[in-house]
Amino acid sequence: MHSGKTLLRIEHLSRRFGGLRAVENVSLEVKQGDRHAIIGPNGAGKSTLFNLITGQLKPNSGKVVFDGRDITGKPPHVIARTGIGRAFQITTIFPKLTVRKNLQYAMLAHRGYTVRPFGIADRMFSAEAQDLAEAVGLGAWADLPAGQLSHGDQRAIEIAISLALGSKLVLLDEPTAGMSAYETDKAMELVRQLATERHLTLLFCEHDMSVVFSTARTVTVMHQGRVLTAGTPEQIRRNPDVQKVYLGELEEEELGA
Ligand code: ADP
Ligand code: MG
């Protein structure tokens, strides 16, 4: 359970792209130890919100306070160093390198070392990488080229990397995108396990409702850049406005098809 302490506080955050209000006056709090999901139809502003938190984008107005520190508009590397990590939707695995090397290089990069194979850095974090491979259930495959693993296992490595780098808050943008139902279950089980073991705080956005309801303890719903409502998964599931938003999306998709 979460501690009640606020780890991330977003105040009246807005970001426009030309005339489009991608994120509009968003306020929310993420409690330490919580697993907080941001949900909403495509285009709701979820990824933009994440990019504002991690510094990939700068807001037009509003504030982002992390662990008591104002990080609004700071560059991504500064924000990463305050303890916010993220996993990307794209694959960042080096397919020809072993699973262990991938984990090792991620650890090096996270601590600000330049990754130069066969350099001195090559010997650093080698044991930690093996530990991490075991922690995420890939110990037996640590010496295999990462590219030989299934797509789902490669995504699991990425997620594991982001969870294991020692960030206080981990952002996952649609972590199970492109995974089969089986891979999704396995990956989210791993996320829950690591989050519990390492006392992580998670903020994730997700399209797949079964992932949201199996993993989140708090849910914030976004629609057209704004916060529609927030609550427990049970409250969100029963909220008729939320159902309408998703129904609206279904109709749009049907019309667009
Ligand atoms: P979500 O992740 O919820 O699907 P996004 O944050 O990606 O939504 O997008 C919110 C809105 O902002 C969408 O209408 C999208 O087209 C627009 N948008 C996102 N990024 C950009 C950008 N870099 N330039 C222009 N428009 C953008
Ligand atoms: Mg998105």
Side-chain angles (χ1 to χ4, degrees), residues 236-251:
I236 296 304
R237 207 202 296 262
R238 281 188 269 115
N239 185 318
D241 288 339
V242 176
Q243 290 167 12
K244 260 187 243 156
V245 164
Y246 276 91
L247 215 56
E249 187 196 22
L250 277 182
E251 281 163 7

Side-chain angles (χ1 to χ4, degrees), residues 46-47 89 173-174 205:
K46 305 180 297 291
S47 293
Q89 256 165 316
D173 191 343
E174 303 208 15
C205 58

Side-chain angles (χ1 to χ4, degrees), residues 24 27 34 65 126 139 210 242 250:
E24 176 68 6
S27 297
D34 202 5
V65 180
S126 178
S210 68
V242 176
L250 277 182

Side-chain angles (χ1 to χ4, degrees), residues 15-18 20-23 38-51 57 89 173-174 205 207 222 224-225 249:
R15 169 70 199 215
R16 294 183 297 274
F17 295 112
L20 178 81
R21 296 167 187 277
V23 167
I38 309 276
I39 69 169
N42 269 324
K46 305 180 297 291
S47 293
T48 303
L49 178 65
F50 276 28
N51 287 328
L57 286 172
Q89 256 165 316
D173 191 343
E174 303 208 15
C205 58
H207 212 72
M222 285 184 73
Q224 297 178 346
E249 187 196 22

